[in-house]
Amino acid sequence: MTLTILSIRGKPIDPAISLIIFFFSALIVGVIPFLYHDTAAQNFPDEETLLSFYGADLCQLTSTTIEERNSYACSAFLLESAGLSAKTAPIAGALLSVTLTVIPILQFSRIPLGVLLVSLAWGFIRAIFLSVLSKDMLSACVVLLSVVAAQHSGFGLAWFLSSTIYGWVVRKYWLLVSAVWLGLRLIRKQLTVFRLLVIIVLVYIALALTFQIALGVTLDFARATVNENRDVGAEGSRTVIEAVIASDNALLQALNATITFFRLAFPLELLRFGSVSQLAFISIMPFTFVWMVKVIVEGAKSSNKSLIQAGKVALAPLSFLIIEGVFEPDFGSFARHFAIVSPLVFSAMALAQKTELAEKRLLLRRRRAAAAVSSSPLFVRPTHQDRIS
């Protein structure tokens, strides 16, 4: 295993300095859950809600009907079974935050400074939200398993099974994430930027028709329900996602979801708030989205196994983003949820980079070989011994 080196403007820096930078970055990410736990417990209601289900066997894990399971009850059951409490939550949050930040970084051969800074920014956001007991700790375990498997052939199975189980037990919309990933995986060879856009619209049309026919609700019913019942001043109330096009027409609902998708990918409307945290999120989300799409398209065009694998990995966070365009009630919640899956973007980029570096090394060797051949004389002057023999 080669040591990951930090590069600045394409030039690698000393490996020892790189290691020190990575170490202190991990240390800062790991400290945040301990420093922020009390504040997070006051600002985020998840911990209090989960603790209210501790000791009560209300999950009904063995039930074959998904509607019978309460997401908080099942999350509480799983977290309690793992021995987690309000006191140990920062420890679990620190471990998850550090591993989800460091592992993708170490998967790079040479990580550019800009990529490192964006990855660390997501790590800081992730550490804040993992400071307390939450359902995100369970989804973080799903992503961690997938990040570890990202460079292996078993990634697809690990991601699909773990995300499906998580959706079945905890968050139902993750079942849609799994289904969208599987669908994109099957047609990945045909993906271009334009075709991706068309597919996203078609996914939203299919979902809108399904919701309308099977459930008798609009596509954004979940978001609307959460926002209607939200108290003024509650978490995320300032950054609620309102429908740009409110309609009962399935096609217009799909159009609105597509607009919301790009509002999440490029959250420039948050500029009006001007807070440091929101400005940081505005800065990193577009870069992450563009990098993700780039890896997907490059993987679709390539015959290289590593680059193909990178494209499959990048499809996971894209599938999540597509479904978030339907369910996410506010930008704060989106930042929290996407921070959990964002490590998969960097794992995909690391795979793609290794392919790029390997191709550059091969090209350099060929150029050196060609130069060696061209510099050798075509005719060698015979020596005295050659002439008399």
Side-chain angles (χ1 to χ4, degrees), residues 310-373:
K312 294 176 185 177
V313 174
L315 285 174
L318 177 65
S319 303
F320 182 81
L321 179 57
I322 290 172
I323 298 304
E324 289 292 87
V326 174
F327 290 96
E328 205 59 80
D330 61 86
F331 285 98
S333 296
F334 171 69
R336 178 179 68 186
H337 296 150
F338 197 80
I340 301 298
V341 301
S342 63
L344 288 166
V345 177
F346 300 101
S347 290
M349 292 174 66
L351 270 169
Q353 186 206 60
K354 287 184 177 180
T355 302
E356 180 183 351
L357 291 176
E359 290 176 350
K360 285 183 178 179
R361 286 194 293 267
L362 179 61
L363 181 61
L364 182 60
R365 284 198 296 268
R366 287 176 176 174
R367 286 178 177 176
R368 286 176 177 173
V373 172

Side-chain angles (χ1 to χ4, degrees), residues 99-120:
T99 51
L100 285 173
T101 302
V102 171
I103 291 177
I105 290 175
L106 296 181
Q107 288 173 339
F108 281 86
S109 297
R110 185 184 299 173
I111 184 167
L113 178 61
V115 175
L116 175 66
L117 292 176
V118 173
S119 176
L120 290 178

Side-chain angles (χ1 to χ4, degrees), residues 95-374:
L95 289 173
L96 288 169
S97 299
V98 170
T99 51
L100 285 173
T101 302
V102 171
I103 291 177
I105 290 175
L106 296 181
Q107 288 173 339
F108 281 86
S109 297
R110 185 184 299 173
I111 184 167
L113 178 61
V115 175
L116 175 66
L117 292 176
V118 173
S119 176
L120 290 178
W122 281 118
F124 296 152
I125 295 174
R126 186 163 48 246
I128 289 173
F129 288 111
L130 291 177
S131 300
V132 293
L133 289 174
S134 68
K135 291 185 282 187
D136 296 314
M137 286 186 169
L138 299 173
S139 60
C141 292
V142 171
V143 175
L144 179 58
L145 175 65
S146 301
V147 165
V148 172
Q151 299 191 352
H152 305 283
S153 58
F155 165 79
L157 186 62
W159 165 256
F160 182 76
L161 287 181
S162 59
S163 58
T164 301
I165 292 171
Y166 179 72
W168 182 259
V169 177
V170 182
R171 283 182 170 135
K172 300 178 182 65
Y173 69 81
W174 272 69
L175 293 173
L176 295 176
V177 174
S178 300
V180 171
W181 177 84
L182 184 60
L184 292 175
R185 163 72 181 80
L186 293 174
I187 60 171
R188 62 162 193 84
K189 291 183 180 180
Q190 284 73 43
L191 295 179
T192 62
V193 174
F194 176 74
R195 288 173 182 171
L196 263 179
L197 175 59
V198 173
I199 290 169
I200 289 169
V201 175
L202 291 176
V203 168
Y204 286 141
I205 291 175
L207 289 174
L209 290 172
T210 302
F211 281 31
Q212 199 170 67
I213 297 171
L215 304 177
V217 296
T218 59
L219 186 59
D220 63 347
F221 84 99
R223 175 188 299 124
T225 301
V226 171
N227 288 335
E228 285 172 3
N229 297 326
R230 194 192 297 267
D231 296 329
V232 177
E235 177 198 358
S237 60
R238 293 180 63 214
T239 61
V240 294
I241 299 174
E242 301 283 357
V244 175
I245 303 173
S247 173
D248 293 331
N249 183 279
L251 293 179
L252 292 178
Q253 291 172 32
L255 177 59
N256 180 68
T258 305
I259 294 172
T260 302
F261 172 87
F262 285 103
R263 289 170 66 190
L264 295 175
F266 301 95
L268 300 178
E269 60 195 85
L270 295 180
L271 283 170
R272 69 182 188 273
F273 296 107
S275 71
V276 175
S277 59
Q278 287 163 345
L279 289 175
F281 174 61
I282 294 168
S283 301
I284 63 177
M285 186 60 209
F287 283 111
T288 307
F289 175 74
V290 171
W291 291 336
M292 175 176 64
V293 173
K294 181 182 177 182
V295 172
I296 291 171
V297 174
E298 287 179 349
K301 295 186 296 184
S302 177
S303 59
N304 183 282
K305 289 184 178 180
S306 294
L307 200 51
I308 291 172
Q309 178 76 354
K312 294 176 185 177
V313 174
L315 285 174
L318 177 65
S319 303
F320 182 81
L321 179 57
I322 290 172
I323 298 304
E324 289 292 87
V326 174
F327 290 96
E328 205 59 80
D330 61 86
F331 285 98
S333 296
F334 171 69
R336 178 179 68 186
H337 296 150
F338 197 80
I340 301 298
V341 301
S342 63
L344 288 166
V345 177
F346 300 101
S347 290
M349 292 174 66
L351 270 169
Q353 186 206 60
K354 287 184 177 180
T355 302
E356 180 183 351
L357 291 176
E359 290 176 350
K360 285 183 178 179
R361 286 194 293 267
L362 179 61
L363 181 61
L364 182 60
R365 284 198 296 268
R366 287 176 176 174
R367 286 178 177 176
R368 286 176 177 173
V373 172
S374 62

